[in-house]
Amino acid sequence: MHPDHPANEHALSDDARAVDVPPAGTLHFDALPLAPALLTTLRQLEYLEMTPIQAASVPVALEGHDLIAQAKTGSGKTAAFALPLLSFLNPRWLAVQGLVLCPTRELAEQVTQEIRRLARGLENIKVVTLCGGTPAGPQRASLEHGAHIVVGTPGRVMDHIERGSLKLDGLALLVLDEADRMLDMGFFDDIAWIASRCPTRRQTLLFSATYPDGIARLARQFQRNPQMIKLEETHASHKIRQRFYEVRHEERLHAVVTLLRHYRPLNALAFCNTRQQCRALLDVLQAQGIEALVLHGELEQVERDQVLIRFAHNSCTVLVATDVAARGLDIKDLEMVINVDITPDPEVHVHRVGRTGRADQNGWALSLMSSSDKRRLGAIAQACNIEPEWHALEGLTPASDAPLQPPMATLQILGGRKDKIRPADVLGALTGDAGFTREQIGKINITDQSSYVAVARGIADEAVRRLTGGKLKGRTVKLRRL
Ligand code: ADP
Ligand code: MG
């Protein structure tokens, strides 16, 4: 970090000041004092305009201020801290200059990926991910080779600090990402411990999707004179069509089936308030032949990865989740959100429905309410800035006789990043000797141990047959359909 880093000028102070949010589209990245290589990368990634949270927070962060930034999931918060981080750090000094704390491994991996994407035009910037669920040995080795940026979950970061494998003397920027979720998960004390090991002369950026009370406490303890940026949630609401259905409590789960058969979404995220309700809904959907998966805290990491990959592949129609399980995840192109159980918190409702209708897409948000839930509607409608539309379930008929099926299926190939497999290798195997066309192949994801490829549902079994026993990177292919 440069010695003239502007964070050094600020005095300690407790009160946050608010910053005006520029209207969307008024700030182009070119207007920022960013390195030309970064601007080129942004153009290549087709980041043409800053998102509102970026427009409001990047200039403030670049000036060296501490920051509390609140904006909903999917609003581009990662780049909002990654860009200042990448512009401050000195690539020729191999010391940890930036530390990003995230609540879960997936989020840490998403952040690492986004930082690497943004950094690809810059000199050799080393980013290391430190999370539980993976052996600490290789992480120590990566740290020994030197790292500029560490992204990790609090527990594992603490381990590495305690063992002396992570040194923070050179740290200039600390980021608390998804701070609300970290508080929910009880990480306050861990964050406090880690912050106490960071140099006091540093810049601290706090990002959060919601603004619960605990955030102010975090800010008071770890930030100095933070600037406060809070984005109203209304900007995307016109693209989200919300409908409310009254339903008797015991009919709720079957009502979800009725909605799905009528609207036939490509994909839907169904929110329940409890894990038991998630499991009950999963049983009902599966019994009706609808492909559904559940995301909950008890899944092993590999299973969780597979669930998210299958959903992203359009190999599964419904993802059933609680708020805790789904928060922060970047799920793209979501057509529908179903509130199976209405949430008691209007802000959480806004957040749930905001998962759909991203970018230029329209989205559906359907909510089931029992008559006793109806008293919550006023607050929800106000938070969403809508006139609630009531619709009747009775009139809803299946839109087609054909079964509701996802268009794709996911194949898991044993062997991944550790075996130097790249997406092009997987695509090549399918379109080469196996004889499939590019159009029959969808998304490809490579994890440490496995590769996942989406293929048109109709060719999935045939693809397994044709690939079995073939070669990939010199090794015999082992695969299965998920
Ligand atoms: P958040 O942390 O607010 O939930 P993310 O940082 O995960 O949001 O960003 C959501 C998605 O938007 C990501 O896929 C990211 O690549 C994309 N994105 C971020 N900034 C921009 C931008 N300025 N233009 C276009 N896409 C962007
Ligand atoms: Mg985020």
Side-chain angles (χ1 to χ4, degrees), residues 29 46-47 49-51 54 72-78 114 117 330 332:
F29 285 107
E46 295 182 3
Y47 285 22
E49 276 178 354
M50 287 191 248
T51 65
Q54 292 164 356
K72 69 171 190 169
T73 300
S75 52
K77 294 191 287 297
T78 317
E114 177 83 350
R117 265 167 16 117
D330 181 23
K332 291 200 171 63

Side-chain angles (χ1 to χ4, degrees), residues 421-443:
I421 294 180
R422 291 166 305 124
D425 302 323
V426 175
L427 186 63
L430 282 157
T431 55
D433 291 343
F436 295 107
T437 64
R438 179 70 191 89
E439 289 66 40
Q440 293 171 307
I441 320 296
K443 292 182 184 145

Side-chain angles (χ1 to χ4, degrees), residues 31 104-105 147 153 164 171 179 274 290 371 377-378 427 458 479:
T104 64
R105 194 186 98 164
T153 49
L171 188 99
T274 65
I290 294 173
S371 48
L377 188 62
L427 186 63
L479 82 164

Side-chain angles (χ1 to χ4, degrees), residues 249-479:
H249 190 75
E250 59 279 14
E251 287 167 359
R252 197 169 279 232
L253 302 181
H254 281 277
V256 177
V257 177
T258 308
L259 292 175
L260 290 168
R261 293 227 166 103
H262 178 76
Y263 287 93
R264 294 180 74 85
L266 178 62
N267 53 32
L269 181 56
F271 283 104
C272 300
N273 288 349
T274 65
R275 282 214 296 265
Q276 294 86 306
Q277 179 84 327
C278 286
R279 269 192 292 267
L281 178 60
L282 189 72
D283 289 344
V284 169
L285 294 176
Q286 287 179 342
Q288 296 290 325
I290 294 173
E291 292 214 23
L293 293 167
V294 68
L295 196 63
H296 61 72
E298 285 160 16
L299 291 180
E300 301 262 327
Q301 195 60 52
V302 172
E303 295 172 313
R304 238 179 116 80
D305 290 347
Q306 286 185 3
V307 166
L308 289 168
I309 287 171
R310 286 168 72 182
F311 190 62
H313 280 185
N314 288 325
S315 304
C316 144
T317 306
V318 187
L319 183 60
V320 181
T322 57
D323 294 295
V324 171
R327 210 139 107 203
L329 294 174
D330 181 23
I331 299 173
K332 291 200 171 63
D333 304 325
L334 187 60
E335 280 194 10
M336 178 176 289
V337 166
I338 303 177
N339 291 305
V340 182
D341 299 319
I342 207 85
T343 148
D345 181 344
E347 264 209 54
V348 172
H349 180 91
V350 172
H351 198 64
R352 284 180 176 184
V353 306
R355 298 310 202 99
T356 182
R358 299 246 185 109
D360 295 325
Q361 318 251 302
N362 290 320
W364 284 107
L366 311 179
S367 301
L368 298 173
M369 291 183 128
S370 62
S371 48
S372 67
D373 291 331
K374 281 170 99 173
R375 66 196 149 84
R376 294 179 176 150
L377 188 62
I380 285 175
Q382 199 179 15
C384 299
N385 199 11
I386 53 162
E387 280 295 325
E389 266 183 54
W390 281 104
H391 289 259
L393 268 176
E394 289 69 49
L396 291 186
T397 49
S400 152
D401 291 337
L404 180 58
Q405 280 183 337
M408 309 299 280
T410 297
L411 311 182
Q412 177 188 18
I413 301 170
L414 295 188
R417 213 177 288 128
K418 289 226 164 68
D419 311 281
K420 308 262 183 293
I421 294 180
R422 291 166 305 124
D425 302 323
V426 175
L427 186 63
L430 282 157
T431 55
D433 291 343
F436 295 107
T437 64
R438 179 70 191 89
E439 289 66 40
Q440 293 171 307
I441 320 296
K443 292 182 184 145
I444 299 172
N445 294 71
I446 314 283
T447 66
D448 280 352
Q449 310 284 356
S450 289
S451 304
Y452 298 91
V453 55
V455 299
R457 195 180 164 84
I459 66 158
D461 293 329
E462 184 59 26
V464 171
R465 268 194 294 281
R466 291 196 205 164
L467 285 185
T468 300
K471 294 274 185 206
L472 191 60
K473 285 274 151 153
R475 293 177 17 162
T476 305
V477 175
K478 292 209 184 84
L479 82 164

Side-chain angles (χ1 to χ4, degrees), residues 75-92:
S75 52
K77 294 191 287 297
T78 317
F81 60 77
L83 292 173
L85 181 54
L86 291 171
S87 12
F88 288 143
L89 66 74
N90 176 357
R92 270 163 240 155

